[in-house]
Each structure stands twice: as C-alpha cells, then as structure tokens.
C-alpha cells in the first residue's frame, strides 16, 4: 500500500493506521480491551481527532520525524475537508482488501 499524506497547516503529514496507531488511540480513549478494538470501525465524530493524532504521530514516526500531536491540536488545525480526507485514508488503511477490490473493479 502506498504511503498516505494529508496537508495540515501547509505541511504534508503522513497518516499510518497500523497496530501502533490503533493501540495509541485506544489508550487515549481509556478503552484498551478487545471489545473496544472490535468496535474500531464504529468511530464517533468525537473519536476522529484522537485517531488523527495517533495515526499522524505514527506516520511521522515512520518518516523519521518527531510528532506529538494531541487530539485538541488536530481538532483546532483541521477543517471539515481535512477531516474528510483523513476519514478516507483511515478507511482505506483499516480495510486494505476493500480498497484493493475497489481498485480491481475500476480496471474492468
């Protein structure tokens, strides 16, 4: 899967929804159980900023950059359009087989 970036305040920041980001998100929410993990696909609007912070912090770590964004910083810096871009990347990375099958169907 290709790296994904979203632009926030004129900076392209890498987004990575991997196990580290998911664990960080669950810890931020104080919900660190398998039940909470199973409900990850049912994010509420109030969950978006914490997930963004976790996924961007992880993406930037993988890029070799120091990033410690908080959910409050993400919420303050992001427009509704930026949030929509993040949600699209989140869905693609959380369910990569769905994106691959959609890409295959576009080729036909």
């Amino acid at each position: 899967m290709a790296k994904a970036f979203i632009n926030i305040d004129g900076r392209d920041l890498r987004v990575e929804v991997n196990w580290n980001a998911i664990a960080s998100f669950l810890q931020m929410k104080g919900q660190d159980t398998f039940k909470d993990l199973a409900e990850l696909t049912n994010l509420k609007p109030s969950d978006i900023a914490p997930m963004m912070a976790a996924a961007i912090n992880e993406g930037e770590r993988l890029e070799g950059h120091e990033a410690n964004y908080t959910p409050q910083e993400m919420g303050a810096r992001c427009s509704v359009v930026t949030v929509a871009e993040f949600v699209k990347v989140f869905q693609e990375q959380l369910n990569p087989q769905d994106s691959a099958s959609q890409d295959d169907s576009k080729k036909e």
Side-chain angles (χ1 to χ4, degrees):
M1 182 180 342
K3 294 179 184 180
F5 294 84
I6 58 173
N7 190 288
I8 298 175
D9 291 339
R11 280 189 66 205
D12 287 331
L13 300 172
R14 182 170 170 188
V15 177
E16 190 65 39
V17 181
N18 64 13
W19 191 255
N20 288 338
I22 291 167
S24 179
F25 165 74
L26 291 172
Q27 286 177 333
M28 279 187 222
K29 299 280 295 165
Q31 300 173 325
D32 200 9
T33 68
F34 282 106
K35 179 181 181 245
D36 299 319
L37 179 63
E39 295 174 0
L40 191 60
T41 57
N42 298 320
L43 291 183
K44 300 177 293 198
S46 61
D47 292 331
I48 300 299
M51 180 54 83
M52 282 182 80
I56 289 172
N57 289 340
E58 177 63 5
E60 287 297 289
R61 182 191 72 79
L62 291 172
E63 289 294 301
H65 305 141
E66 183 73 26
N68 292 303
Y69 293 106
T70 66
Q72 291 76 22
E73 288 175 308
M74 286 292 102
R77 292 175 176 216
C78 293
S79 68
V80 174
V81 172
T82 306
V83 170
E85 290 172 14
F86 171 77
V87 169
K88 182 177 184 241
V89 171
F90 170 79
Q91 291 172 335
E92 289 171 353
Q93 290 187 358
L94 194 62
N95 298 303
Q97 69 279 1
D98 291 346
S99 325
S101 64
Q102 287 176 2
D103 289 344
D104 290 344
S105 67
K106 289 179 186 176
K107 292 176 187 175
E108 295 174 358

